[in-house]
Amino acid sequence: MTRTHSPPSSNNTYFRLWFWLAGAFLFFGFIALIRSILLPFVVGMLAAYFLDPAVHRLRRWGWPRGASAAAITIGFFVLATGICALLVPAIIRQFTALIAQLPGYFEHLEATYSDEIAHYLSLLGADQVNTIKDSLGNYSGTLVGWAGQVAGGALQSGLALLNILSLIFITPIVAFYLLRDWHVMVSRFYALLPRDQTDTIREQLKAIDRTLSGFIRGQTNVCLIMACYYGVMLSVAGLNFGLLIGIATGLLLFIPFVGFATCFVLSIIIAMIQFPDNTHLIAIPAVYGIGLLLESSFLTPRLVGGKVGLHPLWIIFGMLAGASLFGLIGILISVPVTAVIGVLVRFAIARYLHSSLYTGQD
């Protein structure tokens, strides 16, 4: 006698919905409670996800998975430690000097170009000028307050001695165990999925992985390459704080348009003061123009690709929301979370377009 499966009742459907909503609420509530200790685990997970293709390559060469994970983890963190030991002292010196000199730069610009500024302001009415000043003041206050919150969160969760030690010692351990046991954890996770929804969930998880691998791994490589390019080229151009601004330009490419534009404007301001005769000023736009062409026409199409499907405004919103909710941790997880939400939203829209809610048919 063949057993037939009857469609799930509405009561069962509502129970499932509330069950998963309650589970999600408890999960995110738990994350909010322990967010102060999450930094090494989040960094370790991001490192493991980034390094996973290298482990797979060693596995194809015949290495055991444990040895592959250990070799890749040790090699990566030794290399990262060496680079930090070389660059961080110089970056800290340049950052300290830049913060000290930045007010003087703006005063110099105001004194040098006061006539031009007065001319352009005279073209506007007094009411418009006051409105612009008030808007800029409000915006600046909001931006400074947001930056202060992020910096305060970083000091509390990222730069405290205990968390520095946890980053040094716990992050490599987290990355190693994730790389070694990822296939086991995935198998156990799949075994817990509801049987009637396993195929759908696996399909969406594959879509999420494609998006994450395309954006996180690809964009990270783009940012690192461009950080090296801008840091070297701005230093060669003789720009004060060129190493700091160049590395910041590359790393902030994760934030579409905003990071690039901010560093470019800062570079131009410093160059206008450093090179008053404007003979060397052309070098800065040239460096950024070549970098923009290299990044948009060569690196991004090859390393990121066009299948990611993340709108720049969605990424900016995710980063601001993550910083507001969780501080430094929120910034680190904002891109993966926004990528996951983007995939799920597209799936929900596709389901809606095929449902009776949209078609009006039972």
Side-chain angles (χ1 to χ4, degrees):
M1 183 176 180
T2 304
R3 178 180 295 179
T4 58
H5 294 278
S6 59
S9 64
S10 59
N11 290 335
N12 187 37
T13 302
Y14 284 125
F15 173 77
R16 284 187 173 189
L17 176 62
W18 284 110
F19 174 82
W20 290 113
L21 287 176
F25 177 79
L26 291 175
F27 173 77
F28 286 110
F30 177 72
I31 293 297
L33 288 175
I34 64 170
R35 63 183 181 273
S36 61
I37 65 168
L38 286 179
L39 185 61
F41 295 94
V42 171
V43 176
M45 286 188 288
L46 293 175
Y49 190 81
F50 183 79
L51 297 173
D52 188 59
V55 173
H56 282 294
R57 177 163 297 183
L58 290 184
R59 292 281 291 134
R60 289 196 297 267
W61 292 348
W63 286 48
R65 188 171 187 91
S68 302
I72 294 299
T73 302
I74 293 172
F76 173 78
F77 282 98
V78 168
L79 179 63
T81 302
I83 293 175
C84 289
L86 291 174
L87 292 180
V88 168
I91 291 174
I92 291 176
R93 287 195 300 270
Q94 290 198 7
F95 180 76
T96 304
L98 176 61
I99 294 300
Q101 297 182 29
L102 200 56
Y105 282 162
F106 285 106
E107 291 177 1
H108 184 276
L109 278 179
E110 185 178 3
T112 304
Y113 298 97
S114 57
D115 294 338
E116 289 82 353
I117 294 173
H119 170 70
Y120 286 113
L121 290 179
S122 66
L123 301 178
L124 301 173
D127 294 337
Q128 292 176 315
V129 172
N130 291 329
T131 301
I132 292 174
K133 288 182 178 180
D134 293 339
S135 300
L136 289 176
N138 294 332
Y139 176 77
S140 300
T142 302
L143 185 62
V144 170
W146 176 79
Q149 292 177 359
V150 173
L155 289 174
Q156 293 175 6
S157 63
L159 299 181
L161 178 60
L162 180 61
N163 283 305
I164 291 177
L165 294 176
S166 69
L167 276 175
I168 295 173
F169 295 107
I170 296 179
T171 299
I173 297 174
V174 172
F176 166 72
Y177 279 112
L178 286 176
L179 288 172
R180 192 193 70 174
D181 300 330
W182 181 250
H183 62 298
V184 177
M185 291 185 285
V186 169
S187 299
R188 292 179 178 175
F189 172 78
Y190 283 149
L192 295 175
L193 295 177
R195 295 297 88 191
D196 59 337
Q197 299 293 330
T198 299
D199 292 339
T200 300
I201 296 175
R202 290 173 71 106
E203 181 182 349
Q204 295 310 306
L205 289 176
K206 289 179 181 178
I208 290 172
D209 182 65
R210 287 194 298 269
T211 301
L212 289 179
S213 62
F215 189 82
I216 293 181
R217 292 179 185 140
Q219 191 65 40
T220 299
N221 287 324
V222 171
C223 288
L224 292 176
I225 293 172
M226 296 310 299
C228 294
Y229 165 80
Y230 284 118
V232 171
M233 295 306 295
L234 290 179
S235 298
V236 170
L239 182 71
N240 289 339
F241 318 111
L243 178 65
L244 171 66
I245 297 174
I247 292 177
T249 303
L251 297 182
L252 290 176
L253 289 176
F254 255 118
I255 309 175
F257 310 121
V258 177
F260 178 89
T262 301
C263 294
F264 175 70
V265 171
L266 181 59
S267 298
I268 292 296
I269 291 174
I270 294 175
M272 291 173 66
I273 298 171
Q274 183 182 350
F275 309 120
D277 56 355
N278 294 333
T279 55
H280 296 81
L281 186 59
I282 190 61
I284 307 304
V287 168
Y288 276 92
I290 295 172
L292 184 61
L293 183 64
L294 175 66
E295 182 258 327
S296 61
S297 301
F298 181 76
L299 292 177
T300 297
R302 285 163 175 76
L303 297 179
V304 180
K307 60 179 183 296
V308 174
L310 292 177
H311 196 278
L313 291 179
W314 179 238
I315 297 173
I316 295 173
F317 171 79
M319 287 190 170
L320 292 176
S324 176
L325 293 174
F326 298 106
L328 180 61
I329 297 294
I331 295 175
L332 292 176
I333 67 174
S334 60
V335 173
V337 170
T338 52
V340 171
I341 293 175
V343 171
L344 296 180
V345 167
R346 287 193 292 270
F347 171 73
I349 291 174
R351 283 296 184 93
Y352 165 72
L353 293 176
H354 290 86
S355 71
S356 59
L357 292 174
Y358 177 76
T359 60
Q361 301 174 355
D362 294 333

